[in-house]
Amino acid sequence: MKPVRWGVLGNAKFAREHMAPAIHMAENAVLAALGTSSPGSATGWDFCPGLAQMTYDDLLADPAIDAVYIPLPNHIHVEWTLKALAAGKHVLTEKPIAMTATEIDTIIAERDRTGLLAAEAYMIVHHPQWIRARELVQGGAIGRLRHVDTFFAYNNADQTHNIRNRPETGGGGIRDIGVYTYGSARFVTGAEATDISCRMIRENGVDVWAELDAILEGPLGRATYTAMTSMRLQNRQEVTFHGDKGLLKVANGPFNANLFAEARIELHVDQTITSERWPAANHYKLQVENFGASIRTGAAYPCPLEFTRGTQVMIDQAFATAREINW
């Protein structure tokens, strides 16, 4: 299979530390170029000798580049995703790919017009722990699903210039990590959320704490759902799928697999706990390889824009129904 030649738009720390190394390691990919506002000045890319540095526009115009990864600030994701598609590039854009579901409709239309692959970089669905969680829950391992709760928190209160703390760059906890809490529940259960309501705390125009309550309706029936996100609490990541005969926990930092400890799921049935572990799986690398396989073989991509749109609808509803409270 001919490898996909990738370019990265933007010298983002996350790109340098996670996605660019994953592209470099992926079996069907070549990291070929970096687009920056000041070509030649980017540092920290020594893991990829010979990486060409050029402007954003020159990278998109380069016929040797097949696909681009976009880790730019949230509020310009749509603009550059559409530019990449118009330039004939497949595009993988960091989450959230857009600010509203309507904007995702625009990207879907351009994807369909060009016949290119466009997707949000929602990496967890590529990890075997989440694929296995879906198999167990949908296979009846916990009986009838009754409740799902998801929690993702970190504290960046001292990072006042961080784009997540700035409203003008599309910041806020829900747009940063609600993608994971909301999307993971949808991925595992195959359900969509209804009856959404949200309580929210804002600072400087961005949500720093939010609790979303909803009903999940899908092939497993109806279940209650609670999701917590915060940028002002001690690190915490937990996901539990609770049935009438057991519960399943996606453990050890489920959204940052192998960062805190090895990726693990726990199945609790009666007094028995069964664990499965994946100490070496890299969901960023798997994401790149799945993206490349879809380009080269036409294989269905595990996280199409239609799935991404469903999560964005939940995000839109969280803001639309938000009732602001104070600490």
Side-chain angles (χ1 to χ4, degrees), residues 239-282:
V239 180
T240 303
F241 300 90
H242 206 153
D244 58 3
K245 299 184 184 304
L247 64 86
L248 182 75
K249 292 184 177 182
V250 187
N252 286 13
F255 305 119
N256 293 118
N258 295 325
L259 180 61
F260 305 107
E262 65 182 8
R264 186 177 83 241
I265 60 172
E266 296 176 358
L267 178 62
H268 298 237
V269 178
D270 296 326
Q271 302 303 312
T272 301
I273 301 176
T274 305
S275 295
E276 297 183 44
R277 294 174 168 81
W278 293 269
N282 182 321

Side-chain angles (χ1 to χ4, degrees), residues 115-133:
L116 297 163
L117 178 58
E120 180 180 76
Y122 190 62
M123 76 292 187
I124 68 168
V125 301
H126 304 273
H127 198 290
Q129 71 172 342
W130 284 102
I131 296 169
R132 180 60 171 153

Side-chain angles (χ1 to χ4, degrees), residues 25 48 63 80 116 122 208 214 286 290 306:
M25 291 186 296
C48 187
W80 284 97
L116 297 163
Y122 190 62
V208 299
L286 293 170
N290 284 337
E306 286 76 8

Side-chain angles (χ1 to χ4, degrees), residues 165-278:
N165 283 318
R166 295 165 54 190
E168 69 272 18
T169 55
I174 292 176
R175 289 192 173 104
D176 186 39
I177 52 180
V179 173
Y180 296 123
T181 54
Y182 304 169
S184 62
R186 295 180 58 246
F187 177 74
V188 170
T189 66
E192 298 296 345
T194 63
D195 297 332
I196 291 173
S197 63
C198 183
R199 295 186 300 160
M200 183 181 296
I201 297 172
R202 295 180 190 263
E203 292 178 8
N204 189 38
V206 300
D207 60 288
V208 299
W209 179 98
E211 179 184 56
L212 180 142
D213 294 299
I215 300 295
L216 292 175
E217 297 196 42
L220 304 180
R222 304 184 78 210
T224 55
Y225 173 59
T226 301
M228 297 284 296
T229 56
S230 180
M231 304 192 302
R232 294 295 182 268
L233 297 176
Q234 168 64 26
N235 291 349
R236 179 183 173 192
Q237 297 183 26
E238 295 182 10
V239 180
T240 303
F241 300 90
H242 206 153
D244 58 3
K245 299 184 184 304
L247 64 86
L248 182 75
K249 292 184 177 182
V250 187
N252 286 13
F255 305 119
N256 293 118
N258 295 325
L259 180 61
F260 305 107
E262 65 182 8
R264 186 177 83 241
I265 60 172
E266 296 176 358
L267 178 62
H268 298 237
V269 178
D270 296 326
Q271 302 303 312
T272 301
I273 301 176
T274 305
S275 295
E276 297 183 44
R277 294 174 168 81
W278 293 269

Side-chain angles (χ1 to χ4, degrees), residues 3 16 24 37 66 84 124 152 160 241 243 249-250 303 306:
R16 292 194 307 271
H24 188 57
S37 57
D66 302 308
I124 68 168
F152 195 166
T160 56
F241 300 90
K249 292 184 177 182
V250 187
C303 191
E306 286 76 8

Side-chain angles (χ1 to χ4, degrees), residues 58-105:
D58 285 346
L59 190 151
L60 292 183
D62 188 340
I65 300 299
D66 302 308
V68 296
Y69 165 65
I70 300 177
L72 297 168
N74 295 346
H75 68 299
I76 55 175
H77 282 175
V78 174
E79 173 189 354
W80 284 97
T81 298
L82 294 175
K83 284 183 177 181
L85 289 169
K89 310 302 183 189
H90 304 281
V91 56
L92 182 65
T93 302
E94 196 48 61
K95 53 78 188 166
I97 196 171
M99 295 291 99
T100 67
T102 300
E103 290 181 327
I104 295 178
D105 290 336

